[in-house]
Amino acid sequence: MPDTPLRFIGRVGLVTGAASGLGRDAALALAAEGARLVLFDRDAAGLAETAARCDGAQVVVGDVTSAADIDRAAAALDAIGPATLLVTAAGTLGPTRPLPEVTEAEFDQVFAVNVKGTWLALKAVLPRMAAAGGGAVVTIASGSGIVGNAVFPTYSASKGAVVLMTRSVATGHAMQGIRANTVCPGQIETPMLRGVFEQLGDRAAGVEAMFRAKNPSARFGEVHEVTTAVLFLLSDAASYINGAALPIDGGRLA
Ligand SMILES: NC(=O)c1ccc[n+]([C@@H]2O[C@H](COP(=O)([O-])OP(=O)(O)OC[C@H]3O[C@@H](n4cnc5c(N)ncnc54)[C@H](O)[C@@H]3O)[C@@H](O)[C@H]2O)c1
């Protein structure tokens, strides 16, 4: 038998962005440790692939910017038990251009997915956690939510909002037994990171070299290096950690 801890047996939760990358890996790890999950994403095929490897998971295909779609996820949660876990990983990078060159539609889309999408998930799950006597939230922000990013400034602004929304939950809901923390990954090897370089075209090699050169560890992170922190923050071992914004970046922001 593998020596896997089972920290989440009997726990129910929602993972957004579960079709790919960090959300998928967090969902797989939570399910492997006993959690029963509702997996949410707009990518039906990717979600089905995750669900096939997640024992007992329910799948809800939808858009995090749609209150009606998130309501369907909430109904799926209610069908399997009191929700005490939330991971918000759905996110979008948006334009890799300076702010004056960003269109209004691009700006609205980035904020709709990253900020409104996180808020809608919190709005659905927090009352359920409170009714259950408490729970734990981990949002996925970014190192670019702590310091400015000249390559994708719209994204950076939206992730800054995610950091402070999470901290506001930490301060506002602690007395309901709810903890909320955010992780702030640096560059992690996922489809989103590869998408950054594709979008940059002939600037990609220079930006990738710059990202690596600025990192004291001189490498990008692996998905499991974020998942480990997400599960720790969700677990009872982190019972007095509330409102943290944890960089996971090899020392990039140190
Ligand atoms: N990869 C990195 O280097 C990195 C660094 C810092 C933060 N992040 C953040 O981590 C989170 C996960 O990113 P990832 O790297 O795993 O990317 P990813 O592209 O692999 O996964 C993102 C998931 O979000 C889903 N999604 C996007 N928009 C959605 C919407 N409107 N409704 C529902 N689902 C939607 C996508 O379908 C996808 O499955 C994101 O919030 C991202 O901003 C990633």
Side-chain angles (χ1 to χ4, degrees):
M1 284 287 283
D3 193 15
T4 308
L6 292 169
R7 293 172 287 182
F8 301 100
I9 281 186
R11 305 282 297 273
V12 166
L14 171 66
V15 180
T16 73
S20 177
L22 299 178
R24 167 181 281 172
D25 202 59
L28 294 177
L30 280 169
E33 291 204 35
R36 282 178 302 146
L37 298 174
V38 173
L39 308 176
F40 186 93
D41 204 289
R42 64 179 177 186
D43 170 3
L47 211 47
E49 273 181 48
T50 308
R53 295 160 58 196
C54 264
D55 261 359
Q58 307 292 307
V59 162
V60 177
V61 178
D63 192 315
V64 285
T65 69
S66 158
D69 288 357
I70 293 287
D71 281 350
R72 287 191 291 111
L77 277 175
D78 291 343
I80 57 175
T84 61
L85 301 169
L86 172 64
V87 178
T88 61
T92 191
L93 180 73
T96 50
R97 296 194 302 282
L99 287 171
E101 294 170 25
V102 171
T103 68
E104 186 176 0
E106 287 171 331
F107 183 91
D108 286 347
Q109 176 64 9
V110 171
F111 272 72
V113 176
N114 295 348
V115 185
K116 183 183 174 188
T118 302
W119 167 67
L120 282 176
L122 289 165
K123 182 174 162 64
V125 173
L126 289 176
R128 289 169 164 81
M129 280 186 184
V137 173
V138 173
T139 60
I140 303 198
S142 169
S144 303
I146 299 177
V147 298
N149 190 308
V151 180
F152 25 83
T154 317
Y155 175 84
S156 180
S158 73
K159 291 298 188 174
V162 172
V163 170
L164 285 186
M165 190 171 356
T166 309
R167 289 189 148 161
S168 300
V169 171
T171 55
H173 294 264
M175 291 306 290
Q176 295 173 323
I178 296 170
R179 294 182 301 104
N181 294 289
T182 191
V183 293
C184 298
Q187 282 86 35
I188 310 295
E189 290 286 3
T190 69
M192 181 181 281
L193 183 66
R194 287 299 125 201
V196 175
F197 297 127
E198 274 166 32
Q199 200 182 131
L200 285 167
D202 55 12
R203 292 158 61 211
V207 170
E208 181 163 354
M210 181 265 288
F211 281 166
R212 288 185 193 278
K214 283 189 170 177
N215 193 307
S217 304
R219 69 172 176 88
F220 294 159
E222 301 292 333
V223 167
H224 71 87
E225 294 177 303
V226 177
T227 299
T228 302
V230 170
L231 264 65
F232 166 69
L233 290 169
L234 291 173
S235 77
D236 292 341
S239 55
Y240 201 53
I241 302 178
N242 191 24
L246 179 67
I248 305 171
D249 63 3
R252 169 72 181 81
L253 297 187

